[in-house]
Amino acid sequence: MTTFDDRERSYETKFAHDADLRFKAEARRNRLLGEWAAALLGKTGDEARTYALTVVTSDFEEPGEDDVFRKISGDLAGKADEATIRAKMAELRAEARRQVADEG
């Protein structure tokens, strides 16, 4: 193997690792967002956990986070406005990244 091949393999490994971390952080953000929304909806215990899971799975509808936003926005109509939801999504994205990085 040449140095170039080793470097290429190293970059590919790092890319795969970074993609895995991004996926985990987004899923964690969605779960945290679902828990936050569940609390606003008055859900607790298993009902809150189940709701949070529906938020996580809503992210598989299309690329990006608009599908998650639509889910939360529709469920929280009258309880939280768009700016509040977007701000919470950004806040929890940072928190999820910290949590995933601490676990790694």
Side-chain angles (χ1 to χ4, degrees):
M1 291 260 157
T2 66
T3 302
F4 179 76
D5 292 334
D6 291 342
R7 187 178 306 160
E8 183 179 17
R9 189 170 39 258
S10 175
Y11 283 124
E12 289 171 356
T13 300
K14 182 179 180 339
F15 179 81
H17 177 70
D18 290 349
D20 185 52
L21 290 178
R22 277 192 305 276
F23 176 79
K24 287 178 181 179
E26 286 299 312
R28 175 78 51 93
R29 189 275 318 261
N30 293 339
R31 182 180 54 83
L32 294 170
L33 185 65
E35 291 170 356
W36 170 76
L40 290 178
L41 294 169
K43 298 176 186 291
T44 59
D46 287 340
E47 188 179 22
R49 281 185 287 280
T50 299
Y51 177 78
L53 183 59
T54 67
V55 174
V56 172
T57 58
S58 73
D59 194 23
F60 300 128
E61 293 175 12
E62 64 185 45
E65 62 182 23
D66 286 340
D67 45 0
V68 174
F69 174 78
R70 276 194 306 277
K71 162 90 174 121
I72 295 292
S73 180
D75 293 347
L76 293 181
K79 296 187 186 296
D81 62 9
E82 178 178 348
T84 301
I85 296 168
R86 295 273 185 203
K88 185 54 85 167
M89 289 175 79
E91 173 191 331
L92 293 175
R93 179 181 301 110
E95 175 62 26
R97 286 179 179 162
R98 276 191 297 278
Q99 288 180 9
V100 169
D102 289 347
E103 292 170 1

